[in-house]
Amino acid sequence: MKETMMTYINEQESICNDILNKYIENNIDFERIVKEKGNKKWLIIATGSSLNAVLSSKYYIQKISGITIDIIEPFTFINYEELDKDIDMVLAISQSGKSASTIEALKKVHYNYENITTVSVTSDINSKITEYSDVIIDIGCGIEKVGFVTKGFTSTVLTLMLMGISAAKGLNKLSASEEKKEIREFNNLINKMPLIIEKTEYFYNKYKNELNKIPRFSIIGYGPTFGVAKEAETKFAETVRVPTQGFELEAFMHGPYLEVDNNYGIFFIYSENNHSQRAEKLKKYFSDYTNYCYEISTKVNQYGKYISLDMDIDEYKSPLLLVIVFQVLSYRISEGRGIDLSKKIFEDFDNILKSKI
């Protein structure tokens, strides 16, 4: 049977449960080094979906561990930046382990900053990126043969969040009972993944006639859900292949909103906090200008076009589930528009641009 994005989307529950079960084994060296060196400021180097995964997990890591995180694209770091003197750990994220720029960025740290701890986070622990790492963290999702990352994204988000727990333990910020509570909560969320897929399939079938014809999308998030908005941007651009952009809530209000017209599709991502009221106000405003306003929410919704997860979920953990909505939608909308994702385009791209090794 031919593998598709949905093959891997449906595997996410089992893969993430496996990652959770192997959490201590995969993080033992990482926790030890954090404990020994007292690492408190990290630089994370990533691009593409790996960068979106970092944006989705950053606030959870900072909240639980007290660590400060800076994020930078590898090309910028290689060519324009020097390492901040306060950075004591550099993490390079590459699911495939083949991102040429990310490898070069970690190589720069390895050879020029000998006192800095280097960590590679990858699903291929034999890839070249690991040659420049003091610690290797296995994302644990295996090789994703379909070229549009789904299970690799959720696996990366979960792995990074679990690294946050390990760091918190190493820095004595988390008790054993608190650690168990966090793991229990992650287990409960992972077991809800099939339900999220089911709800999204229902939503798509209800609104597919309009979703399949919208010429332009924006996805709006805030805090941890901004990473989800950026990954939705990536997935829609890769698969639906119409102009799509992920925005931070306030940034959208400073200019980009001016392009909204009656054919414009907007997804509003709500997590349960006071900021949802501002997002709701924005949604109500633009509902007068376009019929294509959609809400993706962790709470119960009472009106409009929406997917409600309808569960009590920590805002900082919510990206793990919210992103699945956009994975399913990107696949179904591309399918509904007659796009054959198995047919490769720009086949000579990597060979000419050398973006992957």
Side-chain angles (χ1 to χ4, degrees), residues 152-166:
F153 183 85
T154 49
S155 298
T156 303
V157 170
L158 179 59
T159 297
L160 290 170
M161 288 181 175
L162 294 176
M163 289 171 68
I165 294 177
S166 292

Side-chain angles (χ1 to χ4, degrees), residues 134-173:
D134 298 314
V135 182
I136 302 167
I137 300 292
D138 185 359
I139 294 173
C141 63
I143 304 301
E144 202 162 355
K145 296 178 183 177
V146 175
F148 313 106
V149 173
T150 52
K151 70 175 181 178
F153 183 85
T154 49
S155 298
T156 303
V157 170
L158 179 59
T159 297
L160 290 170
M161 288 181 175
L162 294 176
M163 289 171 68
I165 294 177
S166 292
K169 286 174 60 186
L171 295 171
N172 296 317
K173 297 283 187 179

